[in-house]
Amino acid sequence: MLDSRLLPLLARILTPGAKRLSTAGIPADAITVGGFLIGLCAVPLIASGAYAAALACILANRLCDGLDGAVARLQGPTDRGAFLDIALDFFFYASVPLAFALADPANAAAAAVLLLAFVGTGSSFLAASVVAAQRGLTSTAFPEKGIFYLGGLTEGTETIAVFVLFCLWPAAFAPLAYVFAALCFVTTLLRWWWGWRTFG
């Protein structure tokens, strides 16, 4: 819901750093993979109760996610970069609820519901992208994306905001996860309806 408003602002903020990285010869794919590995470090940190350190890894992952796109626009976007960006993002997103389930078995049910919701949003997003590409459709809201990007009530910005809340108030993980899962289910239903009408 907020991505289309925030991404242009973030692109302007990150461009100077992206130019320095590009000048240094650092490829966008390396930033993508490096950010992914940093993000995965949050899993053992959350599982061991080191929530502040985990939050730092999550935020560093998102910084790399913004920088890789900015660098790619300078160096020339590639299909591999677009693939890595979305594939690694979805895996990273799923790893956070898992980490909270590992941290406290009482979180397991809420984590499972949230992961199911993530499957709904992720699969509907990717299905829309595949069929839209076959039809030659483009996203006017996200023209800089390497694939057709179907927005929704819960997008990347909202997901990271909830992850931040998880780390700041880990005791509230379960209720926060249930609320966000409900919003993700709404996003999934809206995307199903969009696909039904658009591809009919």
Side-chain angles (χ1 to χ4, degrees):
M1 183 172 65
L2 298 176
D3 282 8
S4 62
R5 297 175 178 86
L6 290 181
L7 289 178
L9 173 62
L10 290 175
R12 289 194 296 272
I13 293 172
L14 295 175
T15 295
K19 288 180 178 178
R20 286 192 287 272
L21 291 171
S22 183
T23 301
I26 299 175
D29 290 350
I31 300 171
T32 302
V33 174
F36 172 69
L37 295 176
I38 292 171
L40 286 188
C41 291
V43 175
L45 291 170
I46 291 171
S48 63
Y51 298 110
L55 178 56
C57 289
I58 291 171
L59 295 178
N61 168 274
R62 293 297 86 197
L63 175 61
C64 290
D65 186 65
L67 283 171
D68 64 2
V71 170
R73 284 186 287 276
L74 294 170
Q75 298 176 343
T78 65
D79 289 342
R80 182 175 69 181
F83 168 78
L84 284 174
D85 182 61
I86 196 67
L88 298 186
D89 272 359
F90 280 12
F91 192 94
F92 164 69
Y93 289 157
S95 73
V96 174
L98 169 65
F100 278 91
L102 295 174
D104 185 350
N107 291 331
V113 171
L114 184 55
L115 286 171
L116 175 63
F118 282 177
V119 170
T121 55
S123 61
S124 59
F125 175 92
L126 293 175
S129 178
V130 169
V131 180
Q134 292 174 347
R135 293 189 170 210
L137 300 179
T138 57
S139 175
T140 56
F142 301 93
E144 76 286 353
K145 292 292 185 179
I147 62 174
F148 181 86
Y149 194 102
L150 181 60
L153 184 62
T154 55
E155 299 171 345
T157 301
E158 292 81 10
T159 302
I160 298 308
V162 169
F163 286 178
V164 170
L165 292 176
F166 287 165
C167 292
L168 293 177
W169 293 285
F173 170 81
L176 288 170
Y178 283 128
V179 169
F180 193 62
L183 296 175
C184 288
F185 286 131
V186 171
T187 295
T188 300
L189 290 172
L190 291 173
R191 286 176 175 167
W192 287 350
W193 176 242
W194 180 90
W196 177 272
R197 289 187 299 108
T198 303
F199 303 137

